[in-house]
C-alpha cells in the first residue's frame, strides 16, 4: 500500500516548455486534488476531482489543466511553463469532500 | 470565500515546554478543521482533526480546541520533543467542502 505517489520528484523546465505531473493513489479514494506550495503562502488548490469523470477549478487554476484518467490517477499539465509556476506541487486524495486528505511526497518544479 | 489566518509564523520552544498555534477562519459554514505536520522535503501529514460538533479533541500530547462562536481553533502540543520540529498547517473547509489552508507555522524545539 503505497498511498499517494507522484512523478517526477524534481523537474527543471525552460519557459514555454510543457510537462505533465503524474499522481496515483491506491486507497480507492473518490476525490483527488492538486495543490501548489509557495513560501509563506501555505497550500493553494489548483484543481480537484470530486469523483471519477469530474474536475473543477480551485483557487489558482490559470496556466494548468488536469485529467482524471481513472479512479486511481489524476494528472496536472502545464502547457506553456512560466517562471511564476516555479513551486512545489502536491497531489492529495480523500474518500470524500470533507474527509482526511492524504498527500503525496511532492514534485519540485523549477522554471527558468 | 473562506480565509484562514494562522499565528505565529515561527515558534521556538524549549524541549519539554508547550507550543500553541492559533488559527481563525471567516466562513461560518466551515465544519471540518484538520491540522497537518510537514517535515522538510515531505508532504503534509494529518496529525489531528476536529469537526464542528466537538469543542475539544486530544491524542496523547496533541490537542485541538474549537470555538465556533469566535471562529477560531488552536493546536496544543505538550511536552515538546525535538521530533516535533516541523511546519504545522491548520485548515478549514469552505462552503463547497474544499480545504483552505493557513500559511503555516515553523516550530523549532531546542534541546
Amino acid at each position: 500500500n503505497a498511498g499517494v505517489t507522484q512523478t517526477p520528484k524534481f523537474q527543471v523546465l525552460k519557459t514555454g516548455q510543457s510537462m505533465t505531473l503524474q499522481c496515483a493513489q491506491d486507497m480507492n479514494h473518490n476525490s483527488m486534488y492538486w495543490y501548489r506550495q509557495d513560501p509563506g503562502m501555505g497550500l493553494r488548490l489548483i484543481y480537484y476531482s470530486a469523483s471519477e469523470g469530474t474536475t473543477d477549478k480551485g483557487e489558482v487554476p490559470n496556466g494548468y489543466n488536469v485529467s482524471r484518467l481513472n479512479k486511481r490517477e489524476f494528472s496536472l499539465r502545464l502547457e506553456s511553463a512560466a517562471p511564476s509556476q516555479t513551486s512545489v506541487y502536491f497531489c492529495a486524495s480523500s474518500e470524500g469532500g470533507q474527509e482526511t486528505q492524504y498527500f503525496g511526497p511532492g514534485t519540485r518544479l523549477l522554471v527558468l | 470565500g473562506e480565509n484562514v489566518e494562522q499565528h505565529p509564523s515561527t515558534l521556538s520552544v524549549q524541549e519539554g515546554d508547550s507550543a500553541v498555534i492559533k488559527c481563525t477562519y471567516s466562513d461560518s459554514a466551515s465544519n471540518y478543521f484538520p491540522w497537518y505536520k510537514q517535515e522538510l522535503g515531505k508532504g503534509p501529514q494529518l496529525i489531528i482533526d476536529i469537526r464542528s460538533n466537538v469543542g475539544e479533541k486530544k491524542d496523547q500530547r496533541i490537542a485541538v480546541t474549537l470555538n465556533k462562536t469566535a471562529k477560531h481553533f488552536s493546536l496544543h502540543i505538550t511536552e515538546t520533543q525535538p521530533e516535533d520540529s516541523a511546519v504545522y498547517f491548520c485548515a478549514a473547509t469552505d462552503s463547497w467542502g474544499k480545504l483552505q489552508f493557513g500559511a503555516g507555522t515553523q516550530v523549532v524545539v531546542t534541546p
Side-chain angles (χ1 to χ4, degrees):
Chain A
N1 188 337
V4 179
T5 57
Q6 293 182 236
T7 55
K9 286 184 169 56
F10 181 72
Q11 184 73 44
V12 179
L13 291 178
K14 294 181 180 178
T15 298
Q17 287 185 319
S18 62
M19 78 163 295
T20 299
L21 283 65
Q22 307 285 355
C23 173
Q25 51 92 9
D26 62 2
M27 295 174 281
N28 200 35
H29 284 168
N30 292 311
S31 302
M32 297 186 73
Y33 313 81
W34 276 105
Y35 293 90
R36 62 178 287 173
Q37 184 175 36
D38 302 294
M41 300 188 73
L43 293 121
R44 293 183 292 168
L45 184 65
I46 305 171
Y47 270 93
Y48 69 103
S49 171
S51 61
E52 187 179 355
T54 69
T55 60
D56 286 289
K57 294 178 181 179
E59 182 184 352
V60 287
N62 291 345
Y64 306 95
N65 284 301
V66 290
S67 295
R68 183 74 182 266
L69 304 170
N70 47 56
K71 194 171 185 180
R72 288 188 64 247
E73 299 171 290
F74 189 38
S75 63
L76 178 73
R77 183 159 178 84
L78 287 70
E79 290 291 352
S80 179
S84 61
Q85 294 178 305
T86 292
S87 189
V88 182
Y89 292 85
F90 288 100
C91 176
S93 71
S94 68
E95 287 188 5
Q98 299 196 30
E99 302 298 325
T100 301
Q101 291 188 21
Y102 296 87
F103 284 80
T107 294
R108 284 145 185 83
L109 177 66
L110 175 62
V111 183
L112 301 174
Chain B
E2 176 67 278
N3 181 44
V4 177
E5 293 192 359
Q6 183 172 346
H7 300 280
S9 57
T10 59
L11 180 59
S12 184
V13 295
Q14 203 77 3
E15 183 178 357
D17 288 348
S18 296
V20 180
I21 304 170
K22 298 182 179 182
C23 290
T24 61
Y25 62 97
S26 59
D27 190 342
S28 57
S30 294
N31 58 13
Y32 176 58
F33 307 90
W35 285 88
Y36 285 85
K37 176 182 180 183
Q38 186 177 26
E39 296 177 341
L40 195 63
K42 297 184 178 180
Q45 185 173 18
L46 181 80
I47 53 172
I48 195 167
D49 57 10
I50 191 167
R51 296 190 185 270
S52 59
N53 57 346
V54 175
E56 184 174 357
K57 185 176 178 181
K58 191 173 181 180
D59 182 3
Q60 299 183 343
R61 296 186 296 107
I62 294 174
V64 58
T65 59
L66 171 65
N67 183 326
K68 286 218 73 177
T69 303
K71 295 183 190 169
H72 66 71
F73 56 115
S74 301
L75 178 73
H76 303 253
I77 306 173
T78 58
E79 301 173 20
T80 53
Q81 301 168 4
E83 53 264 38
D84 294 328
S85 295
V87 179
Y88 292 81
F89 292 96
C90 63
T93 49
D94 65 13
S95 301
W96 302 98
K98 300 191 298 296
L99 284 179
Q100 186 74 28
F101 285 82
T105 297
Q106 174 75 61
V107 174
V108 177
V109 181
T110 53

